[in-house]
Amino acid sequence: MMAVLEVPINVFGQRNNFSFSSSRRPPNYACGIRKARSFVLVSATSQSPVQSVEENTSIVSQKFAFPIMVNSCTGKMGKSVIEAAMNAGLDPLPVSFSCEEDSGKIIEVGGKDFELYGPKEREDALAKVFNENPGLIVVDYTVPMAVNDNADLYCKLGVPFVMGTTGGDRERLYKTVKDSNNYAVISPQMGKQVVAFLAAMEYMATQFPGAFSGYSMQVLESHQASKLDISGTAKAVISCFQKLGVSFDLDQVQQIRDPDQQIELVGVPEEYLSGHAFHMYHLTSPDETVSFEFQHNVCGRSIYAEGSIDAAFFLAKKVRSRAEKRLYNMIDVLQEGNMR
């Protein structure tokens, strides 16, 4: 992940001709850092070293094991979460929610077979799993249209859950959890370093409201073609800039889903077209003499999967301690130092 703050050194008398819609290809910060010229570059990189069996055992002994169920294991994120859980020393339960067409099928993930349950069977299946596995934590990476129905079910049965799926009616989602007094971690972003960046943005918005009043903004976000909605991370960052005084509507976000444009315009490495998250925010002063650029790029899904498992460990601890607070986000996880 990389955050970029771009400030022209000689801002007076210069006109900014930056445009996301132009044919100019933005620098690929994921692959390297361009030479300093007229900007200040602040970067943060996250790498996940391969962990040995001994290290995995240590993680579980330090944070305790617990039963975990991942919905949906047929999706790329679900598969990544299962693999991250195994790498952390956990043993995911061999069941998972899926679409009606796949109900009853058995699929293999990480060398383990998982039985799939469609919408009609999911309540009975989850109730049985929860009854047989006290302390169960569910991690949800399904689809936006299933967010609220799944959350309703988790709360109805009292199953603690980590909601990694974006979209759905978020107000209804939070209300469902609060009304049921169920334990949950809900966040539009599970990547640890990205969450830290969002926290910094929120702090700036709270402490310096209106600091960017009058500035115009362009936002470009690029994700794999299968992602249908606007990035939840982009929405969160935009919300911060709105608090800072920038007038911007979500329908102004440039969503890039075409692979050719992602390679040529955005600079996404070809091997990550099926799994990436590139975000660029460019702000310009009213007289166009000052510009700021923020950029954070993620290739692959490991950063989200690992963050989701951190959240699951965190939530399991809260459930076992019978914490008074029930609804959490990834900032809570970060602040408690539960990051591996």
Side-chain angles (χ1 to χ4, degrees):
M1 187 276 291
M2 190 158 293
V4 179
L5 170 59
E6 183 171 347
V7 186
I9 302 300
N10 181 18
V11 296
F12 299 103
Q14 294 185 0
R15 181 178 179 85
N16 173 35
N17 294 317
F18 184 93
S19 175
F20 282 130
S21 59
S22 71
S23 60
R24 183 174 72 88
R25 175 174 172 170
N28 185 0
Y29 291 106
C31 300
I33 299 177
R34 58 182 176 178
K35 294 181 180 179
R37 188 169 58 186
S38 60
F39 57 86
V40 176
L41 177 63
V42 181
S43 66
T45 306
S46 173
Q47 295 181 341
S48 302
V50 176
Q51 295 171 320
S52 66
V53 174
E54 290 77 15
E55 289 174 320
N56 291 340
T57 302
S58 176
I59 291 173
V60 173
S61 64
Q62 290 176 14
K63 297 190 176 182
F64 58 79
F66 54 90
I68 184 170
M69 176 181 176
V70 180
N71 296 326
S72 150
C73 70
T74 57
K76 293 178 180 178
M77 263 311 306
K79 292 178 180 177
S80 295
V81 171
I82 287 174
E83 292 171 356
M86 291 177 174
N87 288 338
L90 297 174
D91 185 19
L93 298 176
V95 292
S96 183
F97 288 176
S98 188
C99 61
E100 188 63 41
E101 292 77 12
D102 290 335
S103 184
K105 293 182 180 179
I106 304 292
I107 69 166
E108 184 270 329
V109 180
K112 183 173 184 175
D113 290 336
F114 290 80
E115 184 174 0
L116 306 181
Y117 291 89
K120 296 178 181 178
E121 298 82 22
R122 64 192 181 110
E123 181 169 351
D124 289 340
L126 182 58
K128 183 176 185 294
V129 168
F130 190 34
N131 182 61
E132 296 175 350
N133 298 274
L136 174 68
I137 302 294
V138 169
V139 178
D140 189 297
Y141 274 102
T142 52
V143 292
M145 67 181 63
V147 165
N148 294 110
D149 287 344
N150 284 351
D152 289 346
L153 178 58
Y154 302 148
C155 291
K156 175 183 178 180
L157 298 179
V159 180
F161 68 97
V162 175
M163 180 59 74
T165 312
T166 59
D169 186 332
R170 305 309 277 192
E171 289 187 10
R172 175 185 159 190
L173 173 61
Y174 288 113
K175 185 177 187 302
T176 297
V177 176
K178 290 177 180 178
D179 290 348
S180 67
N181 205 31
N182 192 26
Y183 284 99
V185 174
I186 301 174
S187 176
Q189 170 60 250
M190 291 292 176
K192 295 172 279 191
Q193 290 78 16
V194 179
V195 170
F197 169 68
L198 289 175
M201 287 295 303
E202 186 62 40
Y203 176 84
M204 182 168 67
T206 301
Q207 295 298 314
F208 311 112
F212 283 87
S213 294
Y215 274 65
S216 60
M217 183 168 71
Q218 292 173 289
V219 178
L220 179 152
E221 60 98 339
S222 174
H223 289 75
Q224 57 277 7
S226 60
K227 183 171 178 57
L228 304 178
D229 56 335
I230 294 176
S231 162
T233 303
K235 292 178 181 179
V237 174
I238 290 169
S239 175
C240 290
F241 279 121
Q242 289 171 334
K243 295 174 185 176
L244 287 164
V246 177
S247 178
F248 189 88
D249 295 323
L250 288 179
D251 58 9
Q252 295 175 267
V253 175
Q254 296 185 46
Q255 293 178 260
I256 306 298
R257 299 293 185 268
D258 178 75
D260 291 335
Q261 290 186 346
Q262 290 173 338
I263 293 174
E264 297 301 323
L265 176 63
V266 185
V268 179
E270 187 172 357
E271 63 268 31
Y272 289 109
L273 289 175
S274 63
H276 69 277
F278 278 36
H279 299 77
M280 287 159 271
Y281 314 86
H282 190 87
L283 297 95
T284 306
S285 64
D287 62 1
E288 299 186 331
T289 61
V290 181
S291 66
F292 290 82
E293 184 175 309
F294 298 79
Q295 179 167 326
H296 51 96
N297 298 340
V298 174
C299 291
R301 297 177 174 84
S302 62
I303 186 175
Y304 312 118
E306 292 168 4
S308 300
I309 296 304
D310 287 329
F313 272 113
F314 168 88
L315 194 60
K317 179 181 177 182
K318 293 301 180 183
V319 173
R320 289 195 181 186
S321 67
R322 298 182 180 179
E324 183 176 349
K325 183 177 178 179
R326 302 298 180 99
L327 179 57
Y328 302 92
N329 57 33
M330 284 299 286
I331 298 298
D332 297 311
V333 181
L334 270 170
Q335 290 176 335
E336 194 152 313
N338 280 266
M339 293 306 180
R340 293 175 286 115

